Amino acid sequence: ATTNIFHHGEGLNLRGYSGYLAPQILSDGSIVYTYRGNNAAAVNAELEFSGIVKIKRQNWLTKTFKLTTYLFGDAGIINYSRTTDPILKMSDLRVDAGIGATLTIKKFGPLQTVEPLTIRFDMPLFLNKIPATDKEYCKYRCVIGVSRTV
């Protein structure tokens, strides 16, 4: 009925709609949930602004961790038609935008072969189609995720 706070960077990657059933109201008044489908399209953009604050001195902290901050925007649509339908039916466009940060652990001491671990904290502050439980398009929402879509 509402959005979730956990997100994994896969699929459409609409961070503001993570864990949401995304109902689509059809012309006959029935409701179809568009949280999954076989065909979809999405655009995800991030504008990093980590370079504003630069750490010039290299130490163990900068060699082990990397902090990245960014503005983001996501937009996507998804197919909700059944296999028996003669035409492809796409959901309404869903858009979110906000600010986020990632913390990447680059080194794990003696475990040098371990891949870097990235933990994300995103705040999708704007949604263009709000859940029924929300009252505002712009409000504080947060999403915590593991990994970052490349």
Side-chain angles (χ1 to χ4, degrees), residues 72-99:
F72 69 86
D74 308 315
I77 57 175
I78 194 163
N79 166 31
Y80 64 85
S81 55
R82 297 180 199 93
T83 55
T84 58
D85 291 341
I87 60 171
L88 192 64
K89 298 175 185 174
M90 300 302 278
S91 69
D92 294 336
L93 179 69
R94 296 193 189 277
V95 177
D96 65 55
I99 188 168

Side-chain angles (χ1 to χ4, degrees), residues 105-140:
I105 304 170
K106 300 185 283 187
K107 294 185 177 185
F108 289 91
L111 303 173
Q112 291 302 318
T113 59
V114 174
E115 293 289 322
L117 172 66
T118 301
I119 300 167
R120 296 184 301 120
F121 179 76
D122 294 326
M123 292 182 291
L125 302 172
F126 169 77
L127 300 179
N128 76 324
K129 297 188 87 39
I130 58 174
T133 57
D134 286 358
K135 304 221 182 325
E136 300 174 24
Y137 291 92
C138 294
K139 76 173 206 175
Y140 174 77

Side-chain angles (χ1 to χ4, degrees), residues 55-63 106:
I55 300 172
K56 295 185 184 211
R57 197 177 74 177
Q58 292 283 330
N59 57 27
W60 73 270
L61 197 62
T62 58
K63 290 179 184 177
K106 300 185 283 187

Side-chain angles (χ1 to χ4, degrees), residues 10-87:
E10 296 286 332
L12 293 176
N13 199 29
L14 300 179
R15 291 166 263 208
Y17 296 98
S18 188
Y20 182 49
L21 288 174
Q24 177 77 30
I25 300 173
L26 305 180
S27 58
D28 64 359
S30 61
I31 296 175
V32 176
Y33 297 116
T34 61
Y35 65 95
R36 65 179 178 155
N38 293 329
N39 301 305
V43 174
N44 309 101
E46 292 183 357
L47 177 62
E48 290 186 10
F49 57 89
S50 301
I52 294 173
V53 178
K54 294 186 179 190
I55 300 172
K56 295 185 184 211
R57 197 177 74 177
Q58 292 283 330
N59 57 27
W60 73 270
L61 197 62
T62 58
K63 290 179 184 177
T64 306
F65 301 101
K66 180 182 178 186
L67 181 66
T68 305
T69 53
Y70 51 87
L71 297 172
F72 69 86
D74 308 315
I77 57 175
I78 194 163
N79 166 31
Y80 64 85
S81 55
R82 297 180 199 93
T83 55
T84 58
D85 291 341
I87 60 171

